[in-house]
Amino acid sequence: MSQTSTIAKTRTELSRTRLGSALRTFLACSIVGCTALYSPQPIRHYIKFPSIAYVTTILIVSDATLGDTIRGCWHVLLATIQVMVFSLLSLQVIRPGGHLGDYMAALAVATGAFFVALPGSTHLLTKRIAYGQLVIVYVSTVLHGAQEGVARQSIYVACSTAFGAIASVLAMLLPYPRFAYNEARKFYQLYSENTSERLNCNIEAISASDNSTAVGFITQAKYLSTTGTNLLNNITTTLDGMHWERPQTIISNSSCNDPEEKLQDLDIPIRGMNIALSSGISFPVGVIDEELKGVLHNCRGQISQKLDQQAECFVPFDATTTQEMKQDIFDKYHSIAYKHLPTSFFLYCVQLLLDDLSISKKTDHVQKKAQKSDDSEWCFNRIRQLLMNLIPSNQSLVFAFKSSLSLGFAVLFGLLYDRDNAYWSGLTIAISFVTGRQPTFAVANARGQGTAIGSIYGIICSFIFQKISQKYMDLRFLALIPWVMFASFLRHSKMYGESGAISTVIGALLILGRKNYSTPTQFGIARMAEATIGLTCFIIVEIILSPSRAATLAKSKLSQTLSTLQDCIKQIAMITPSESERDMPSSSYQALREEQKKLKSLVCQLKEFTAEAEVEPNFWFVPFHTACYSNMLRSLSRMVDLLLFVAYSMEHVTQLAQKDGVSWMDIQGRGNENVKIFKNKVNPILKSLEEITRIKSIKKLENELKNQNVPQDLESQEYPNADAFSILSRDDEVDSITNSFLQHLEEIANKTYTDKDEEMLKVQMLFHYSCLGFCTSSLMRETMKIGGEIKELLMWENPSSQTNFIQKRSQ
């Protein structure tokens, strides 16, 4: 491995990638601009709307590979077909020469936008390009339809859009192709190095001789984890483009050798190590002796070697762990498993990496049953999914109404304000729609600022070139080079993001990349006014159709997440022999995995609402408590990972307990008792927290507490049990769960067997059962943390409440 940290390598590589993307974006815009300005008249005649060509290139080329560009051209074709069919039919009915006025054009745009947005299977890029085409077709028809005919405007728009797509492909091929495969392989190598560094930091941390050294390595591992997440996102993005460069992968079974899935499986044990190190252990760890340090360093070397081979071949690696190394780790479970659960769990994660095991999938005996039908049913399920996507969902209907009303009103008011520049009110918002929720005010603000600074830059550059000499005015297009590069980096900033960066580029392009319009200053002011009209319509429609604030939705999603977490906890149980005979294990543990997937999805949605609520204006509402939600998201994300380990370890404990020749039924019964103790402790807490987060008014909570408690003093009206979170005030809840598992593990470790197979079975039982013990105690610990954050959140939202939310320590 290189001595340079992958954090620095990733930053350098991302900067190079963004710079290359900016240059290719400029090349595509240059092709459009030079052709629109200087090509022969027969060609320029059909590129009458360079604005839609510029928009197309910006939407396709930005941060794209050749595969992404090919996919973008496909979406351009779909959008053009939809708009051409709709506009030609509607314009023939309306007869623009006599009847197409401002109101009729706005109605046609709104209707077309509704039908384009309705199918849920249509890609967002297709919809954005179609929206832009609809705006230009109908506004230009209002202005010039009577003179040029009905069909000409649609043909001009289609030709301009197609030329933008062709320019995008040329920019991806020159001077050399930018293949998605090469990009994915490059990020794959960085990710493998990053994983090796994280593993090294974790092993050094658990082997540290003092707290300060360990904290340093743990902190470094956290930074590396953030970098690893960014690399994983880049790999996922480039893999989508790779499918379009190699079409055969689109129709192949996606369950076979999925690199993205393999990387996720690789990342889970590393996250498990981080959970073990952050579980409150003190350093140096007493059970880590010199012999175990040597074993861990040997494991690190072998895993790093596998990662190096994986990075070079860009394929998942095979498990080639020597039996001696496995035995070294197994032997340590005799002395560690029943003494220190965090260390035991750390070794468990190391073993998973050595064996290249996936804990997110079904085990082998379940997979073999399902694999027979998977190959035959995959194509049928894929076709059925595509057909179901054609049926509009509630989300598709809401999005269609938003798009329809926003574009309709934007075009209408744009035409009423300034007919000659009415394109820009609708075009400004046409390329900013997303199918889900978005921070409306933040997006509108970013687009408004981007349009303003882009237009001002274009005006200043035009003024400078005009002052130098009129004959140099044609060279003003060169001023776009630094601006496109600047906007490319601006695209990845939190302040502007994608929407603001696109507006910034287009604002300058429409001034520097066109001719035959009014003076740059007049055009820039008119365009900013039209953009303001469009953004205002966008905000008003968004507020009317989605009145719920992101903060309210985040709290509602938190309640839903806690409810699903309860469902996950209920599925935790080891199967008895009678249930096993009815083939219950696979269905029970699979049910836990399904609930875990549902919980993971809800946590992702909660993260999106939290990010949106963080940037939305407060107005007269209580400010959003970002810190509380961030801490709860951190705990919930850990619980999502822990539940995977729970399902994996329980399934293996049950299988080991049912091995012939060894009677482990008593161990299985004791295990179920420990799990029952855990569930009896955690379920009431989660239920209480869910109910509290669902309460709309704190007054209602106070009344319920008042009715449930007997006053100690009728005159003072003091209630001794008025602490709404008294169940969280006991510090020994986690310790009691840990001690029950440790006691049971010691009993298992003290059993002696003369047969080597039985002895190995005992070690494997310790291996998986210690994981179950650590995960359940960690789930309890994270539940207590969530309870503490909810208390702080209620105190933040209700500072004048008389309910005692302060944690009372047990005397």
Short mmCIF file of all heavy atoms in Angstrom, two decimals, residues 699-746:
data_model
loop_
_atom_site.label_atom_id
_atom_site.label_comp_id
_atom_site.label_asym_id
_atom_site.label_seq_id
_atom_site.Cartn_x
_atom_site.Cartn_y
_atom_site.Cartn_z
N LYS A 699 -49.10 19.34 25.88
CA LYS A 699 -50.14 19.46 26.91
C LYS A 699 -50.87 18.14 27.10
O LYS A 699 -51.24 17.77 28.21
CB LYS A 699 -51.13 20.56 26.53
CG LYS A 699 -50.53 21.97 26.53
CD LYS A 699 -50.08 22.38 27.92
CE LYS A 699 -49.54 23.81 27.92
NZ LYS A 699 -49.04 24.21 29.25
N LYS A 700 -51.07 17.44 25.98
CA LYS A 700 -51.75 16.16 26.06
C LYS A 700 -50.90 15.16 26.85
O LYS A 700 -51.43 14.39 27.67
CB LYS A 700 -52.01 15.62 24.65
CG LYS A 700 -52.76 14.32 24.61
CD LYS A 700 -53.03 13.89 23.18
CE LYS A 700 -53.79 12.57 23.17
NZ LYS A 700 -54.06 12.11 21.77
N LEU A 701 -49.58 15.18 26.64
CA LEU A 701 -48.69 14.31 27.39
C LEU A 701 -48.73 14.65 28.87
O LEU A 701 -48.78 13.76 29.73
CB LEU A 701 -47.26 14.43 26.86
CG LEU A 701 -46.17 13.66 27.63
CD1 LEU A 701 -46.46 12.17 27.61
CD2 LEU A 701 -44.79 13.96 27.04
N GLU A 702 -48.74 15.93 29.21
CA GLU A 702 -48.79 16.33 30.62
C GLU A 702 -50.09 15.88 31.27
O GLU A 702 -50.09 15.42 32.42
CB GLU A 702 -48.63 17.85 30.71
CG GLU A 702 -47.25 18.34 30.32
CD GLU A 702 -47.14 19.85 30.38
OE1 GLU A 702 -48.21 20.52 30.47
OE2 GLU A 702 -46.03 20.37 30.32
N ASN A 703 -51.20 15.98 30.55
CA ASN A 703 -52.48 15.54 31.11
C ASN A 703 -52.49 14.04 31.34
O ASN A 703 -53.02 13.55 32.35
CB ASN A 703 -53.62 15.93 30.17
CG ASN A 703 -53.82 17.43 30.12
OD1 ASN A 703 -53.49 18.15 31.08
ND2 ASN A 703 -54.34 17.92 29.00
N GLU A 704 -51.89 13.27 30.41
CA GLU A 704 -51.85 11.83 30.58
C GLU A 704 -51.01 11.45 31.80
O GLU A 704 -51.38 10.58 32.59
CB GLU A 704 -51.28 11.18 29.32
CG GLU A 704 -52.21 11.23 28.13
CD GLU A 704 -51.62 10.55 26.91
OE1 GLU A 704 -50.49 10.04 27.01
OE2 GLU A 704 -52.29 10.53 25.86
N LEU A 705 -49.85 12.12 31.96
CA LEU A 705 -49.00 11.84 33.11
C LEU A 705 -49.71 12.23 34.41
O LEU A 705 -49.60 11.54 35.44
CB LEU A 705 -47.68 12.61 32.99
CG LEU A 705 -46.75 12.14 31.87
CD1 LEU A 705 -45.57 13.10 31.75
CD2 LEU A 705 -46.27 10.73 32.12
N LYS A 706 -50.45 13.32 34.37
CA LYS A 706 -51.16 13.77 35.57
C LYS A 706 -52.24 12.78 35.96
O LYS A 706 -52.46 12.51 37.13
CB LYS A 706 -51.76 15.15 35.31
CG LYS A 706 -52.42 15.78 36.52
CD LYS A 706 -52.90 17.19 36.19
CE LYS A 706 -53.55 17.84 37.40
NZ LYS A 706 -54.01 19.21 37.11
N ASN A 707 -52.93 12.21 34.98
CA ASN A 707 -53.99 11.24 35.26
C ASN A 707 -53.44 9.91 35.74
O ASN A 707 -54.10 9.17 36.47
CB ASN A 707 -54.85 11.03 34.01
CG ASN A 707 -55.63 12.26 33.64
OD1 ASN A 707 -55.95 13.09 34.49
ND2 ASN A 707 -55.92 12.41 32.34
N GLN A 708 -52.21 9.58 35.32
CA GLN A 708 -51.64 8.28 35.67
C GLN A 708 -50.95 8.28 37.01
O GLN A 708 -50.70 7.21 37.57
CB GLN A 708 -50.64 7.84 34.59
CG GLN A 708 -51.30 7.52 33.25
CD GLN A 708 -50.27 7.25 32.18
OE1 GLN A 708 -49.07 7.21 32.45
NE2 GLN A 708 -50.74 7.06 30.96
N ASN A 709 -50.63 9.44 37.61
CA ASN A 709 -49.87 9.51 38.85
C ASN A 709 -50.73 10.03 40.00
O ASN A 709 -51.58 10.90 39.80
CB ASN A 709 -48.65 10.43 38.68
CG ASN A 709 -47.62 9.81 37.76
OD1 ASN A 709 -46.82 8.99 38.19
ND2 ASN A 709 -47.67 10.18 36.49
N VAL A 710 -50.46 9.51 41.16
CA VAL A 710 -51.16 9.95 42.38
C VAL A 710 -50.34 11.06 43.02
O VAL A 710 -49.15 10.89 43.25
CB VAL A 710 -51.33 8.79 43.37
CG1 VAL A 710 -52.02 9.27 44.63
CG2 VAL A 710 -52.11 7.67 42.71
N PRO A 711 -50.93 12.21 43.30
CA PRO A 711 -50.14 13.31 43.86
C PRO A 711 -49.65 12.99 45.27
O PRO A 711 -50.35 12.39 46.07
CB PRO A 711 -51.12 14.48 43.87
CG PRO A 711 -52.47 13.86 43.86
CD PRO A 711 -52.34 12.58 43.10
N GLN A 712 -48.41 13.41 45.50
CA GLN A 712 -47.83 13.21 46.82
C GLN A 712 -48.40 14.23 47.81
O GLN A 712 -48.62 13.94 48.96
CB GLN A 712 -46.31 13.35 46.72
CG GLN A 712 -45.59 13.11 48.05
CD GLN A 712 -44.11 13.26 47.89
OE1 GLN A 712 -43.64 13.82 46.91
NE2 GLN A 712 -43.34 12.77 48.86
N ASP A 713 -48.63 15.41 47.33
CA ASP A 713 -49.15 16.48 48.18
C ASP A 713 -50.26 17.18 47.39
O ASP A 713 -50.01 17.80 46.37
CB ASP A 713 -48.03 17.47 48.52
CG ASP A 713 -48.49 18.51 49.53
OD1 ASP A 713 -49.72 18.64 49.72
OD2 ASP A 713 -47.62 19.17 50.11
N LEU A 714 -51.49 17.05 47.89
CA LEU A 714 -52.62 17.60 47.15
C LEU A 714 -52.53 19.11 47.04
O LEU A 714 -53.00 19.70 46.07
CB LEU A 714 -53.93 17.21 47.84
CG LEU A 714 -54.27 15.70 47.81
CD1 LEU A 714 -55.54 15.44 48.60
CD2 LEU A 714 -54.44 15.23 46.38
N GLU A 715 -51.94 19.77 48.02
CA GLU A 715 -51.86 21.22 47.97
C GLU A 715 -50.77 21.69 47.00
O GLU A 715 -50.97 22.61 46.23
CB GLU A 715 -51.57 21.77 49.38
CG GLU A 715 -52.73 21.53 50.34
CD GLU A 715 -52.45 22.13 51.70
OE1 GLU A 715 -51.36 22.71 51.87
OE2 GLU A 715 -53.32 22.04 52.57
N SER A 716 -49.62 21.01 47.05
CA SER A 716 -48.53 21.43 46.16
C SER A 716 -48.65 20.85 44.77
O SER A 716 -48.00 21.31 43.83
CB SER A 716 -47.17 21.02 46.75
OG SER A 716 -47.10 19.59 46.83
N GLN A 717 -49.50 19.82 44.65
CA GLN A 717 -49.70 19.16 43.35
C GLN A 717 -48.38 18.65 42.77
O GLN A 717 -48.11 18.78 41.59
CB GLN A 717 -50.37 20.11 42.36
CG GLN A 717 -51.79 20.46 42.75
CD GLN A 717 -52.72 19.26 42.67
OE1 GLN A 717 -52.83 18.62 41.66
NE2 GLN A 717 -53.38 18.95 43.77
N GLU A 718 -47.52 18.08 43.61
CA GLU A 718 -46.26 17.51 43.14
C GLU A 718 -46.47 16.03 42.88
O GLU A 718 -47.11 15.33 43.67
CB GLU A 718 -45.15 17.71 44.18
CG GLU A 718 -44.78 19.17 44.37
CD GLU A 718 -43.70 19.33 45.42
OE1 GLU A 718 -43.34 18.31 46.03
OE2 GLU A 718 -43.22 20.46 45.62
N TYR A 719 -45.93 15.54 41.82
CA TYR A 719 -46.11 14.16 41.42
C TYR A 719 -44.74 13.47 41.43
O TYR A 719 -43.86 13.82 40.65
CB TYR A 719 -46.72 14.08 40.02
CG TYR A 719 -48.09 14.71 39.97
CD1 TYR A 719 -48.23 16.07 39.66
CD2 TYR A 719 -49.22 13.96 40.26
CE1 TYR A 719 -49.47 16.65 39.62
CE2 TYR A 719 -50.48 14.55 40.22
CZ TYR A 719 -50.60 15.89 39.90
OH TYR A 719 -51.84 16.47 39.87
N PRO A 720 -44.58 12.49 42.30
CA PRO A 720 -43.27 11.87 42.43
C PRO A 720 -42.86 11.10 41.20
O PRO A 720 -41.68 10.88 40.97
CB PRO A 720 -43.42 10.93 43.64
CG PRO A 720 -44.89 10.65 43.70
CD PRO A 720 -45.57 11.89 43.22
N ASN A 721 -43.78 10.66 40.36
CA ASN A 721 -43.46 9.85 39.18
C ASN A 721 -43.69 10.61 37.88
O ASN A 721 -44.03 10.04 36.86
CB ASN A 721 -44.31 8.58 39.17
CG ASN A 721 -44.08 7.73 40.39
OD1 ASN A 721 -42.95 7.58 40.83
ND2 ASN A 721 -45.15 7.17 40.95
N ALA A 722 -43.51 11.93 37.93
CA ALA A 722 -43.82 12.74 36.76
C ALA A 722 -42.71 12.75 35.72
O ALA A 722 -42.77 13.51 34.78
CB ALA A 722 -44.10 14.17 37.18
N ASP A 723 -41.70 11.92 35.88
CA ASP A 723 -40.63 11.83 34.89
C ASP A 723 -41.13 10.96 33.74
O ASP A 723 -41.35 9.78 33.90
CB ASP A 723 -39.38 11.22 35.52
CG ASP A 723 -38.18 11.31 34.59
OD1 ASP A 723 -38.40 11.64 33.41
OD2 ASP A 723 -37.06 11.03 35.03
N ALA A 724 -41.31 11.55 32.58
CA ALA A 724 -41.82 10.80 31.43
C ALA A 724 -40.83 9.76 30.94
O ALA A 724 -41.20 8.86 30.21
CB ALA A 724 -42.14 11.75 30.30
N PHE A 725 -39.56 9.86 31.36
CA PHE A 725 -38.53 8.94 30.89
C PHE A 725 -37.87 8.21 32.05
O PHE A 725 -36.67 7.95 32.02
CB PHE A 725 -37.47 9.71 30.10
CG PHE A 725 -37.98 10.31 28.83
CD1 PHE A 725 -38.50 11.59 28.81
CD2 PHE A 725 -37.97 9.58 27.66
CE1 PHE A 725 -38.96 12.15 27.64
CE2 PHE A 725 -38.45 10.13 26.48
CZ PHE A 725 -38.95 11.42 26.47
N SER A 726 -38.64 7.89 33.07
CA SER A 726 -38.03 7.23 34.23
C SER A 726 -37.45 5.88 33.88
O SER A 726 -36.51 5.41 34.52
CB SER A 726 -39.09 7.06 35.33
OG SER A 726 -40.18 6.29 34.84
N ILE A 727 -37.99 5.25 32.82
CA ILE A 727 -37.48 3.94 32.44
C ILE A 727 -36.06 4.02 31.89
O ILE A 727 -35.33 3.04 31.85
CB ILE A 727 -38.43 3.29 31.41
CG1 ILE A 727 -38.12 1.81 31.26
CG2 ILE A 727 -38.32 3.99 30.06
CD1 ILE A 727 -39.16 1.06 30.49
N LEU A 728 -35.65 5.22 31.47
CA LEU A 728 -34.32 5.39 30.93
C LEU A 728 -33.30 5.82 31.98
O LEU A 728 -32.13 6.00 31.65
CB LEU A 728 -34.35 6.44 29.82
CG LEU A 728 -35.19 6.11 28.59
CD1 LEU A 728 -35.23 7.32 27.67
CD2 LEU A 728 -34.63 4.91 27.86
N SER A 729 -33.74 6.00 33.20
CA SER A 729 -32.85 6.58 34.21
C SER A 729 -31.96 5.55 34.87
O SER A 729 -31.07 5.90 35.62
CB SER A 729 -33.70 7.28 35.28
OG SER A 729 -34.51 6.33 35.94
N ARG A 730 -32.16 4.28 34.60
CA ARG A 730 -31.37 3.22 35.24
C ARG A 730 -30.17 2.90 34.37
O ARG A 730 -30.30 2.53 33.22
CB ARG A 730 -32.24 1.99 35.47
CG ARG A 730 -33.32 2.22 36.52
CD ARG A 730 -34.57 1.44 36.29
NE ARG A 730 -34.34 0.02 36.17
CZ ARG A 730 -35.27 -0.86 35.87
NH1 ARG A 730 -36.51 -0.44 35.65
NH2 ARG A 730 -35.01 -2.15 35.76
N ASP A 731 -28.99 3.01 34.97
CA ASP A 731 -27.75 2.85 34.20
C ASP A 731 -27.34 1.39 34.05
O ASP A 731 -26.42 1.09 33.30
CB ASP A 731 -26.61 3.61 34.89
CG ASP A 731 -26.88 5.09 34.93
OD1 ASP A 731 -27.56 5.58 34.02
OD2 ASP A 731 -26.41 5.75 35.88
N ASP A 732 -27.99 0.49 34.80
CA ASP A 732 -27.54 -0.90 34.80
C ASP A 732 -28.26 -1.77 33.79
O ASP A 732 -28.09 -2.99 33.78
CB ASP A 732 -27.71 -1.50 36.19
CG ASP A 732 -29.16 -1.46 36.66
OD1 ASP A 732 -29.98 -0.76 36.00
OD2 ASP A 732 -29.47 -2.12 37.66
N GLU A 733 -29.09 -1.17 32.92
CA GLU A 733 -29.85 -1.98 31.97
C GLU A 733 -28.92 -2.71 31.00
O GLU A 733 -29.07 -3.90 30.75
CB GLU A 733 -30.83 -1.09 31.19
CG GLU A 733 -31.90 -0.42 32.04
CD GLU A 733 -32.90 -1.42 32.59
OE1 GLU A 733 -32.97 -2.54 32.07
OE2 GLU A 733 -33.59 -1.08 33.55
N VAL A 734 -27.96 -1.98 30.42
CA VAL A 734 -27.03 -2.61 29.48
C VAL A 734 -26.15 -3.61 30.18
O VAL A 734 -25.90 -4.72 29.66
CB VAL A 734 -26.17 -1.52 28.80
CG1 VAL A 734 -25.17 -2.16 27.84
CG2 VAL A 734 -27.06 -0.53 28.06
N ASP A 735 -25.69 -3.27 31.40
CA ASP A 735 -24.80 -4.19 32.13
C ASP A 735 -25.50 -5.49 32.47
O ASP A 735 -24.89 -6.57 32.43
CB ASP A 735 -24.31 -3.52 33.42
CG ASP A 735 -23.39 -2.34 33.13
OD1 ASP A 735 -22.83 -2.31 32.02
OD2 ASP A 735 -23.27 -1.46 33.99
N SER A 736 -26.78 -5.43 32.81
CA SER A 736 -27.49 -6.66 33.16
C SER A 736 -27.61 -7.60 31.97
O SER A 736 -27.47 -8.83 32.10
CB SER A 736 -28.89 -6.32 33.70
OG SER A 736 -29.67 -5.69 32.69
N ILE A 737 -27.86 -7.04 30.77
CA ILE A 737 -27.93 -7.88 29.57
C ILE A 737 -26.55 -8.46 29.26
O ILE A 737 -26.41 -9.65 28.96
CB ILE A 737 -28.44 -7.05 28.38
CG1 ILE A 737 -29.88 -6.60 28.63
CG2 ILE A 737 -28.36 -7.85 27.09
CD1 ILE A 737 -30.43 -5.66 27.59
N THR A 738 -25.52 -7.64 29.36
CA THR A 738 -24.16 -8.11 29.09
C THR A 738 -23.77 -9.21 30.05
O THR A 738 -23.21 -10.25 29.65
CB THR A 738 -23.17 -6.94 29.20
OG1 THR A 738 -23.55 -5.91 28.28
CG2 THR A 738 -21.75 -7.40 28.89
N ASN A 739 -24.06 -9.02 31.35
CA ASN A 739 -23.68 -10.02 32.36
C ASN A 739 -24.39 -11.35 32.15
O ASN A 739 -23.81 -12.42 32.38
CB ASN A 739 -23.97 -9.48 33.76
CG ASN A 739 -23.06 -8.32 34.12
OD1 ASN A 739 -21.95 -8.20 33.59
ND2 ASN A 739 -23.52 -7.44 35.01
N SER A 740 -25.66 -11.31 31.74
CA SER A 740 -26.38 -12.56 31.52
C SER A 740 -25.76 -13.36 30.38
O SER A 740 -25.63 -14.59 30.47
CB SER A 740 -27.85 -12.28 31.23
OG SER A 740 -28.01 -11.54 30.02
N PHE A 741 -25.33 -12.68 29.33
CA PHE A 741 -24.67 -13.38 28.22
C PHE A 741 -23.27 -13.84 28.63
O PHE A 741 -22.84 -14.95 28.27
CB PHE A 741 -24.58 -12.47 26.99
CG PHE A 741 -25.81 -12.50 26.14
CD1 PHE A 741 -26.79 -11.53 26.28
CD2 PHE A 741 -26.00 -13.49 25.19
CE1 PHE A 741 -27.93 -11.54 25.49
CE2 PHE A 741 -27.14 -13.51 24.39
CZ PHE A 741 -28.11 -12.53 24.54
N LEU A 742 -22.54 -13.01 29.36
CA LEU A 742 -21.19 -13.40 29.79
C LEU A 742 -21.23 -14.64 30.69
O LEU A 742 -20.38 -15.53 30.57
CB LEU A 742 -20.52 -12.23 30.52
CG LEU A 742 -20.06 -11.06 29.66
CD1 LEU A 742 -19.53 -9.93 30.53
CD2 LEU A 742 -18.99 -11.50 28.66
N GLN A 743 -22.21 -14.70 31.58
CA GLN A 743 -22.33 -15.86 32.46
C GLN A 743 -22.61 -17.12 31.65
O GLN A 743 -22.03 -18.18 31.91
CB GLN A 743 -23.45 -15.62 33.48
CG GLN A 743 -23.61 -16.75 34.49
CD GLN A 743 -24.73 -16.45 35.48
OE1 GLN A 743 -25.35 -15.40 35.41
NE2 GLN A 743 -24.95 -17.37 36.39
N HIS A 744 -23.48 -16.99 30.68
CA HIS A 744 -23.80 -18.15 29.84
C HIS A 744 -22.60 -18.56 28.98
O HIS A 744 -22.33 -19.75 28.79
CB HIS A 744 -25.00 -17.83 28.96
CG HIS A 744 -25.60 -19.03 28.30
ND1 HIS A 744 -26.45 -18.94 27.23
CD2 HIS A 744 -25.45 -20.35 28.54
CE1 HIS A 744 -26.81 -20.14 26.85
NE2 HIS A 744 -26.22 -21.02 27.64
N LEU A 745 -21.87 -17.58 28.45
CA LEU A 745 -20.68 -17.88 27.66
C LEU A 745 -19.62 -18.59 28.49
O LEU A 745 -18.94 -19.50 27.99
CB LEU A 745 -20.10 -16.58 27.08
CG LEU A 745 -20.84 -15.99 25.88
CD1 LEU A 745 -20.39 -14.56 25.63
CD2 LEU A 745 -20.60 -16.84 24.63
N GLU A 746 -19.49 -18.21 29.74
CA GLU A 746 -18.51 -18.88 30.61
C GLU A 746 -18.89 -20.33 30.84
O GLU A 746 -18.03 -21.22 30.87
CB GLU A 746 -18.41 -18.14 31.94
CG GLU A 746 -17.33 -18.67 32.85
CD GLU A 746 -17.15 -17.81 34.08
OE1 GLU A 746 -17.92 -16.85 34.25
OE2 GLU A 746 -16.22 -18.11 34.86
#
